[in-house]
Amino acid sequence: MLDIIKKIKDVLTNHFEGIQEKDILISSPPDVKMGDIAIPLFALSKKLNVPLQNLAERGIPLVKIEPYVDKVEKAGGYLNLFLNRSIVGGQIIQQVFSKGRLFGSSMSGKGKKALIEHTSINPNASPHVGRARNAMIGDSLSRLFRFEGYDTEVHYYVNDMGRQIGLLVLISDEIENLDFNGILQAYVHANQRAENDPEFAQKGYDLLAQMEQGNEEVRKKFFKVTDMCLKGQLGVLRRLGVDYDYFDRESSFIESEELNKVLDILKTKGALFVDEEQRLTVDLAPLGYTQEEGRYFVLRRANGSSMYGYRDLAYTIYKGHRGADEDIIVLGEDHKLYLQQISLILSSAGYTPPSPVFYSYILLKEGKMSTRQGNVVLLSDFLDSASALALERVQEQCKELSEEEQKLIAEQVAVSAIRFAVLRVTPTKNVIFDIESALSFEGDTGPYLQYSCARIKSILRKYGEKVPTNILTSFPIRQNEEWLLLRKISEFPLTILNSIEQHNPSIIAGFALDLAHIFTSFYHSCPVLQAENEEIRMARLQICLATLRTMQNALHLLGISVPERM
RNA sequence: GCGCCUGUAGCUCAGUUGGAUAGAGCACUUGCCUCCGGAGCAAGGGGCCGUGGGUUCAAAUCCCGCCGGGCGCGCCA
């Protein structure tokens, strides 16, 4: 399909003087009945100074490219091309079969490196679905970059220090056997106490200062608490299939020679000063910052201890040195101004700041999630109830499977439900999360996608043998549904490129939904195993196989697995 | 108040980067399991694409104003 579009552009640019590839737009007609590829001529007609009708007449024989294009019609200001379904369809299937697990990848990242940092949840509680949006987007992007051939490394920035962690460490001394389940309560308690008890708050700062100065005993205490919490959080995230290559401790960036060099540069620009309260501060105005809000960026407190910004700048520089062609960080929209600030600092010292992927918050139907008011949805709670619900259905429908296998499938269904519900929405938009519909597994959901795959697998299982992968030279296509399915499959590589370019996994999610809808429609109107003759039966089996392959590749990028049955 | 994001069917979301009659799911109405899995399919009702202007052959899409929602403006991270 892609090469046909390329051919059309070649033919037209060669024939008409003074137009380039980008002048030729390609879209598709609103209905298959009107053709497969549409070329709007309005802009071309203007550019070439040729009347529309005239241009259409001249264009028709040009774009009727043998043997791929059967027919060209002019309709309004468009040229509509009808493809030869047999030839093009056969080629699409051939391509899926030959590329297999890599179908969809253009390997645009071959020889390049990608670094993605995501998640970085404060070690103070079990993650809720809002926090997990970061992890799901980040993980999906990581999968996309790997798929496109990038040498990809995934980083998790461990927030193992700071004032609030100091308070948590302080209070953990008073609680016996503090574990992951009790940590949120301890954290909330510690912060409340710091608000009402200045002495306690001061002790927190002191502890933090000791930690920074390298007091081994204090350091160990920090590590003990944060490690315990991180371990708990990672356990929940791993249920989602989210994994990391590197864990970078914030506490190893409290002093950085490299950053101090950057600060020297800032000094020469008149952007670094010690304020009236003895804090080391950057004035962003000399660097080109135009607003008053957020103009000052504090690096160190009066007692010399580092602020988050200092450590993060050092960390960002460290990541930059790893030589990635794509340096990406996934952040909540609340970090926008903050990232703007550190980006300005870095770029004015000659560094390239990372490209941010911002996402908006997940809201509940009732409003914002609030830990205090108790209306948060914990990721583990959601997975537990989704898994339990799914298990009931699996027990009904897959009686012959062992209990172990049934549980495994139920868990896969639960994961797909949450991942799809979150990933299908464009990151910049709020997700309104409705637990009830997320647990229903009906309609446009992850389980629906898995279900359509399970149906294909069921057909292939019943067929019993391996479906041959050699394609008939005149591949038989009788029904619109067959053709629509193949056309959709052929869009997959372009969809991936779009998705990676825009750093937006929801584009893949939309594609997977379209594909599943078209498949189920095909499934209901085109009998496969009972097809009218052997040739068509084989062709439909091959269409099923190609659809499954494409769907599996797409779902893999979303972190959704495809069970054999469900 | 200032800055960034956002507004599409009753609800939750798409909309191929400016193209033809704006599409899905949920909910509602109707039909479909003797037939490859009903977590499904087919059909129907439901839309001043927040609002007012502008740009042009063409605007849900681009520009400006207004209105509603989200986020930010820390000795937090």
Side-chain angles (χ1 to χ4, degrees), chain A residues 221-268:
Chain A
K221 278 188 184 174
F222 269 74
F223 284 3
K224 192 183 163 199
V225 173
T226 52
D227 280 356
M228 179 262 285
C229 195
L230 179 65
K231 203 177 152 198
Q233 292 171 331
L234 290 176
V236 182
L237 292 170
R238 201 157 291 134
R239 270 180 90 176
L240 286 179
V242 178
D243 262 305
Y244 308 85
D245 302 312
Y246 298 93
F247 293 91
D248 309 320
R249 288 184 165 281
E250 189 181 337
S251 60
S252 54
F253 295 97
I254 47 187
E255 201 54 66
S256 156
E257 270 186 44
E258 200 73 33
L259 175 52
N260 292 338
K261 281 185 208 158
V262 169
L263 298 185
D264 286 341
I265 296 174
L266 295 187
K267 212 178 283 174
T268 64

Side-chain angles (χ1 to χ4, degrees), chain A residues 118 133 151 183 187 237 291 310 366 414 485 490 501 517:
Chain A
H118 66 85
R133 189 175 190 189
D151 175 17
I183 203 141
Y187 178 81
L237 292 170
Q291 281 165 269
Y310 180 95
E366 305 78 43
L485 202 42
S490 75
E501 190 185 27
H517 279 137

Side-chain angles (χ1 to χ4, degrees), chain A residues 330-348:
Chain A
V330 183
L331 289 170
E333 62 175 338
D334 51 336
H335 285 67
K336 272 187 185 174
L337 175 62
Y338 168 76
L339 195 86
Q340 201 188 328
Q341 292 169 326
I342 71 163
S343 296
L344 187 57
I345 291 172
L346 290 172
S347 56
S348 55

